[in-house]
């Protein structure tokens, strides 16, 4: 994996930080720092905090300030203002489930690296036309899974993906074996019951197992 620092990341670098990017939903911002520390200690420095709860932006701010080894990003970026607010909160990267020209322009304007979401060949081609080669493939399993991504490899050799959505410990290695997959996104690393109970040892162990999925 890369040893790139958060300040000089590119879109493509995001795919090489770790084999798995945890996709985190936080209801309580007080859980953000110990959770991030557990993930980092387990070997997963890149953490995507989804903008699905009121705690998300404060959690990003706290992780950015208190867990220096974490590379915290914002996920579920669906509006231009989401990109702007995430950058102001301290996010180091952005992830969107889909992409429109307006949303893309807003993410570019932040100066942060980002993974725009695609689910079809046409969407991937549109991003390639703009020079963007690193993308999120979402919802991975529902959109065709490993077979679909393998099929895209021939006509779109420059596109590389982070599949997310239905990726599990049981199929993550199969995705990572594809040459056009740099990493996967997964929500299994931070089970809700473990987060609520403060079971950071469990999360650390899940992260260590996921980190061991790295190629080679």
């Amino acid at each position: 994996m890369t040893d790139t620092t958060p300040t000089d990341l590119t879109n493509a670098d995001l795919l090489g930080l770790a084999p798995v990017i945890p996709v985190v939903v936080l209801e309580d911002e007080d859980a953000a720092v110990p959770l991030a520390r557990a993930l980092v200690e387990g070997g997963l420095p890149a953490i995507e905090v989804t903008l699905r709860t009121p705690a998300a932006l404060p959690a990003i701010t706290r992780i950015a300030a208190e867990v220096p080894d974490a590379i915290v990003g914002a996920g579920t970026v669906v509006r231009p203002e989401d990109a702007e607010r995430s950058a102001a909160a301290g996010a180091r990267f952005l992830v969107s489930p889909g992409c429109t020209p307006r949303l893309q322009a807003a993410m570019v304007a932040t100066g942060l690296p980002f993974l725009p979401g695609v689910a079809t060949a046409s969407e991937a081609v549109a991003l390639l036309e703009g020079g963007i080669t690193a993308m999120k493939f979402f919802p991975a399993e529902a959109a065709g899974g490993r077979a679909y991504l393998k099929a895209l490899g021939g006509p779109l050799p420059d596109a590389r993906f982070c599949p997310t959505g239905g990726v599990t410990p049981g199929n993550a290695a199969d995705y990572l074996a594809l040459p056009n997959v740099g990493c996967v996104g997964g929500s299994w690393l931070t089970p809700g019951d473990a987060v609520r109970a403060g079971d950071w040892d469990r999360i650390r162990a899940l992260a260590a197992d996921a980190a061991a999925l790295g190629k080679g």
Side-chain angles (χ1 to χ4, degrees):
M1 296 297 144
T2 67
D3 59 0
T4 311
T5 59
T7 54
D8 60 7
L9 287 174
T10 67
N11 289 22
D13 290 332
L14 294 175
L15 299 181
L17 295 172
V20 183
I21 295 179
V23 179
V24 179
V25 180
L26 280 171
E27 301 290 345
D28 180 3
E29 68 176 272
D30 289 335
V33 168
L35 180 145
R37 286 178 177 151
L39 291 170
V40 171
E41 289 165 4
L44 301 180
I47 302 167
E48 176 190 334
V49 178
T50 63
L51 302 183
R52 301 180 190 180
T53 68
L57 289 172
I60 289 170
T61 297
R62 292 186 63 171
I63 294 170
E66 300 179 47
V67 191
D69 291 333
I71 301 172
V72 63
T76 319
V77 174
V78 297
R79 301 170 298 178
E81 55 264 39
D82 291 339
E84 297 159 4
R85 292 166 65 209
S86 297
R92 303 298 190 189
F93 65 92
L94 307 172
V95 183
S96 67
C99 196
T100 65
R102 185 164 171 255
L103 179 59
Q104 181 178 332
M107 290 193 287
V108 169
T110 67
L112 297 175
F114 60 95
L115 293 176
V118 300
T120 68
S122 294
E123 291 167 350
V125 169
L127 289 172
L128 288 170
E129 286 179 348
I132 296 172
T133 59
M135 312 170 193
K136 171 178 176 173
F137 179 57
F138 177 83
E141 283 290 285
R146 184 177 181 275
Y148 190 90
L149 281 176
K150 184 177 181 180
L152 289 182
L156 304 177
D158 293 333
R160 297 186 74 238
F161 301 94
C162 173
T164 305
V167 179
T168 69
N171 62 20
D174 292 334
Y175 277 104
L176 289 166
L178 294 173
N180 59 349
V181 169
C183 65
V184 299
S187 59
W188 79 85
L189 298 146
T190 54
D193 59 339
V195 176
R196 288 189 294 272
D199 191 350
W200 312 126
D201 287 340
R202 180 182 171 195
I203 290 174
R204 189 180 298 106
L206 289 169
D209 289 342
L213 294 170
K215 299 177 183 179

